[in-house]
Amino acid sequence: MKVAFLVAPEGVEQVELTDPWQAVRDAGGTPRLVSTKPGRIQAFDHLDKADTFEVDQVVKDATVEEYDALVLPGGVANPDFLRLDKAAVAFAKGFFDAGKPVAAICHAPWTLVEADVVRGRTLTSWPSLRTDITNAGGTWVDEQVKVCTGGPNALITSRKPDDLKAFREAFLEEFAKTTKGSAR
């Protein structure tokens, strides 16, 4: 299982990157950090700078075909930067077009709103995205984790860092379903 973690060069909530990343590794998968620029990304602990992480691949050079699934960590600034980058938005949308699972937490669904892939889907997020999701044609619910299979792919969403345990369990289960029988 090869999983893309799409983040902006700055603004990702560190625990929403590192916790799911470790879960993918613990499950025997290969996480890869994909960003809009090469080098290192700056993670945050809410509004305070945290650690930096090396980018594995620039999104303009990445293809959906080389990955089994996508994780979109949150942080307020991270998805706001991503939704302004055409290559990042197209990359995220490509997972829906290919029927591959996507997991998004906290503010990350902003990128999905921009990609126009929440229409007809039920998802959760940080509460301030409720109106954006609803206006984009999605149904917003206030749940710890929501798995929506009413579309071309599985969409796994959670609200906040406190939901990480349920988020990891749900996305690992969905990712395993799509990679069963895979040659990877």
Side-chain angles (χ1 to χ4, degrees), residues 125-150:
S125 68
W126 186 254
S128 65
L129 275 68
R130 178 183 190 160
T131 300
D132 296 325
I133 290 167
T134 302
N135 287 343
T139 300
W140 186 88
V141 294
D142 184 12
E143 296 176 15
Q144 187 177 40
V145 65
K146 178 63 184 172
V147 177
C148 178
T149 56

Side-chain angles (χ1 to χ4, degrees), residues 6 70 72-73 78-85 88-90 92-93 107-118 129:
L6 179 61
L70 173 66
L72 295 167
N78 177 55
D80 197 44
F81 289 136
L82 288 177
R83 67 185 179 163
L84 294 174
D85 186 284
V89 172
K93 184 179 184 320
H107 290 79
W110 262 340
T111 306
L112 303 178
V113 166
E114 190 66 30
D116 195 24
V117 294
V118 301
L129 275 68

Side-chain angles (χ1 to χ4, degrees), residues 30-79:
T30 304
R32 303 254 306 150
L33 192 62
V34 179
S35 189
T36 57
K37 294 182 181 174
R40 297 185 74 78
I41 62 115
Q42 175 66 62
F44 280 74
D45 181 9
H46 193 51
L47 298 176
D48 298 321
K49 284 186 177 181
D51 297 325
T52 63
F53 299 90
E54 187 69 33
V55 172
D56 294 311
Q57 189 173 29
V58 177
V59 72
K60 68 178 179 57
D61 300 327
T63 64
V64 171
E65 292 75 28
E66 61 192 295
Y67 293 99
D68 297 304
L70 173 66
V71 173
L72 295 167
V76 177
N78 177 55

Side-chain angles (χ1 to χ4, degrees), residues 5-21 33 41-47 71-82 103-112 124-126 129 156-161 164 167 171:
F5 281 72
L6 179 61
V7 298
E10 169 168 57
V12 69
E13 184 70 29
Q14 182 161 314
V15 70
E16 293 175 4
L17 169 64
T18 57
D19 184 278
W21 182 282
L33 192 62
I41 62 115
Q42 175 66 62
F44 280 74
D45 181 9
H46 193 51
L47 298 176
V71 173
L72 295 167
V76 177
N78 177 55
D80 197 44
F81 289 136
L82 288 177
I105 188 168
C106 203
H107 290 79
W110 262 340
T111 306
L112 303 178
T124 193
S125 68
W126 186 254
L129 275 68
I156 306 94
T157 53
S158 281
R159 303 169 299 188
K160 56 189 173 183
L164 279 165
F167 181 62
F171 81 67

